[in-house]
Amino acid sequence: MTPPVQTEATGVSEAPSGSAKPKIGFVSLGCPKNLVDSEVMMGLLHSAGGQLTPAAEDAEIIVVNTCSFIDSAKQESVNTILEMAQHKQANGGRARKLIVAGCLVERYRDEIQKNIPEVDAVVGTGELEAILAAAGLAPKPTQPQDSPFNILPQGLVSRAHSAVQQHSRPEEDSTQVRIEHHEIASRPEGDLREQQGRFSRASWDGATAALPEYLYSDETPRILATPRASAYIKIAEGCDHPCSFCIIPQLRGKFRSRRMSSIVSEAEKLIAQGVREITLIGQDTTCYGEDLGLTDGLAQLLEALAALPGLKWLRFLYTYPNKVTTRLLETMAKHDNIAKYLDVPLQHASASVLKRMKRGGNAKIFLDLIEKARRIVPGIVIRTSFIVGFPGETENDYKELEAFIKAAKIDWLGVFTYSDEEGAKAFELDAALKVPERTIQARRRKLMKLQQKISARAKAEWVGREVDLLVEGESEETELLWEGRTIQHAPEIDGKVFINDFGPHEELVPGTFYRAEITESHDYDVVVRIIE
């Protein structure tokens, strides 16, 4: 599941007659940040009387939460909308209403309903609460409650990118959504970027002029779609950075942080419901608190959360390289329950490419950062991603990136091919600078083959280690194996940990931590046996 969208609910009919609790099916696409938006929308719908269903054919209302980051994501979103539209057209189908939410709405608000008439309403990324009007439901008044996080039977829970049907954990019929009780602040960098036109959507037909400003809070209903022991917390929304390949600022608005007290309160409620692993997310978590006047705000937040009883694992994703401070690294090293894990997308190593990307930095600066992180935080694993084929990338630029990967020995690495996105500054670059698609794909293949060798050598060194393992359940690849994660594996994005020996246990309980020994290694994955 994924992102929410700004909704236009005018002319939307009421909930299906004869159904006190209309059945609502959800499909969420995209990243964990979008997943949280879907969880919020599900919580709002549930608290207003909607009943979530795991079967699209049973749904009276279908919501598709879309992604629009790159072309492939847009195509997946469109394909999913069309697939769900078929449920409205099918003779035996119960679907009466199709709602499209998320980033695709921000980009193609008018075109979606014009070209897909089966769509009844659209909801934008800054209007999550408008999902209620789109579904024909009214919010219920706020009532006292112990927690907005109730959890549905574990059998309904699946991975975040499955169809909504399998995502679960409803809240109690109680809280009404609210925006954080403070005026939307901003960073000086964001104000400057706005003056420079960074957030302009003037060329987007049908896009609203107003940028999203929404922030959910600890009082907002959520239905967690992650396995029982794990949850994401979005600590900020939007982005101010000028990266020329990216349109997220136009889709999500200016950077804005949630209040620390709200985040801590949400974490406490999650822990009370049995969550033991929390992953902090945002477009750039290292900017957290700057708009609220905080210095090293992420480090301060980590200190507050690490002290919460019952929280076994805490990690954060999506950091910006020049924002990784000494204090942040020292805070990671100080607390046993903070993952020794740094997710820092570098995008490239060539100074000339990074300059055109409007990122800054170079191979030496990045190698120095990695060395510093490994020195201050012993045992840290580093995850990064690169873009190959950015306009103007020469063979020498590519070779510099290749040399950097050899020198850095990154633990988890992803390589993405450049996607030419209309609305991004890179789209306007001279056509002569565009790299041929065959060259882009060849460079990606070579880098992934290089990383495969680096990873295989690194994983071989893990054999014999004892680790704490969060068991997730039976492997999707074979019934003969189970899967789990160590603290050095972020949910869904890193290699797998396969369990082939339950040790002293006849069976394992998903969502439970066990002690395990790594017995085998492969290119990206490892095999373990449970020892206690």
Side-chain angles (χ1 to χ4, degrees), residues 379-394:
I380 193 171
V381 299
I382 295 174
R383 175 176 185 81
T384 193
S385 58
F386 297 109
I387 297 173
V388 290
F390 188 81
E393 181 188 63
T394 64

Side-chain angles (χ1 to χ4, degrees), residues 415-442:
V415 180
F416 299 92
T417 57
Y418 171 72
S419 179
D420 212 14
E421 295 301 312
E422 187 175 359
K425 285 296 182 183
F427 186 82
E428 303 170 6
L429 291 174
D430 191 324
L433 293 174
K434 303 297 171 71
V435 181
E437 184 63 24
R438 287 182 60 183
T439 302
I440 294 176
Q441 295 296 340

Side-chain angles (χ1 to χ4, degrees), residues 161-420:
H161 299 290
S162 305
V164 81
Q165 304 80 298
Q166 298 167 302
H167 294 196
S168 26
R169 298 187 180 184
E171 283 79 82
E172 302 176 19
D173 296 345
S174 50
T175 43
Q176 178 178 347
V177 66
R178 68 172 174 86
I179 292 180
E180 298 260 6
H181 288 312
H182 66 281
E183 292 185 6
I184 299 296
S186 60
R187 302 165 61 241
E189 180 181 352
D191 296 336
L192 174 61
R193 302 288 180 218
E194 185 172 27
Q195 294 171 15
Q196 296 171 339
R198 176 63 174 123
F199 304 97
S200 173
R201 304 196 274 188
S203 62
W204 291 2
D205 293 337
T208 57
L211 289 171
E213 292 187 346
Y214 179 83
L215 280 173
Y216 83 97
S217 81
D218 57 300
E219 295 183 11
T220 307
R222 276 179 69 190
I223 293 180
L224 301 185
T226 44
R228 173 173 292 271
S230 303
Y232 294 104
I233 293 181
K234 189 188 290 191
I235 65 174
E237 181 60 275
C239 182
D240 297 336
H241 294 307
C243 308
S244 61
F245 54 80
C246 184
I247 62 170
I248 285 177
Q250 293 104 302
L251 298 173
R252 292 281 176 174
K254 295 168 70 174
F255 183 88
R256 52 205 186 273
S257 303
R258 291 177 56 193
R259 294 287 181 184
M260 190 178 299
S261 58
S262 174
I263 298 169
V264 172
S265 176
E266 182 180 8
E268 290 173 333
K269 292 171 183 176
L270 288 167
I271 293 168
Q273 291 295 312
V275 169
R276 293 294 174 262
E277 175 191 34
I278 288 176
T279 301
L280 306 180
I281 56 175
Q283 303 300 336
D284 174 7
T285 53
T286 41
C287 278
Y288 173 75
E290 290 184 7
D291 50 326
L292 304 178
L294 299 179
T295 300
D296 268 313
L298 180 57
Q300 294 186 48
L301 177 60
L302 290 171
E303 290 275 7
L305 293 174
L308 296 180
L311 181 58
K312 187 170 179 66
W313 289 354
L314 173 63
R315 72 167 57 77
F316 55 95
L317 303 179
Y318 312 113
T319 67
Y320 205 74
N322 67 358
K323 298 278 184 180
V324 178
T325 65
T326 300
R327 180 176 176 182
L328 177 60
L329 294 171
E330 289 174 345
T331 302
M332 295 172 66
K334 176 181 175 183
H335 297 278
D336 291 339
N337 60 350
I338 297 180
K340 311 315 180 228
Y341 183 106
L342 183 63
D343 172 42
V344 54
L346 299 176
Q347 309 302 4
H348 215 280
S350 163
S352 62
V353 173
L354 287 163
K355 184 177 181 180
R356 284 194 301 278
M357 287 181 169
K358 295 193 180 298
R359 294 278 297 185
N362 57 48
K364 183 181 185 307
I365 290 174
F366 294 160
L367 286 173
D368 288 346
L369 170 62
I370 292 169
E371 186 279 328
K372 178 180 178 180
R374 287 172 172 162
R375 173 168 41 85
I376 296 176
V377 190
I380 193 171
V381 299
I382 295 174
R383 175 176 185 81
T384 193
S385 58
F386 297 109
I387 297 173
V388 290
F390 188 81
E393 181 188 63
T394 64
E395 184 65 19
N396 285 339
D397 292 326
Y398 164 75
K399 290 294 185 183
E400 189 170 355
L401 175 56
E402 189 178 65
F404 174 84
I405 291 174
K406 290 178 181 177
K409 295 181 173 59
I410 302 292
D411 301 278
W412 305 116
L413 185 149
V415 180
F416 299 92
T417 57
Y418 171 72
S419 179
D420 212 14

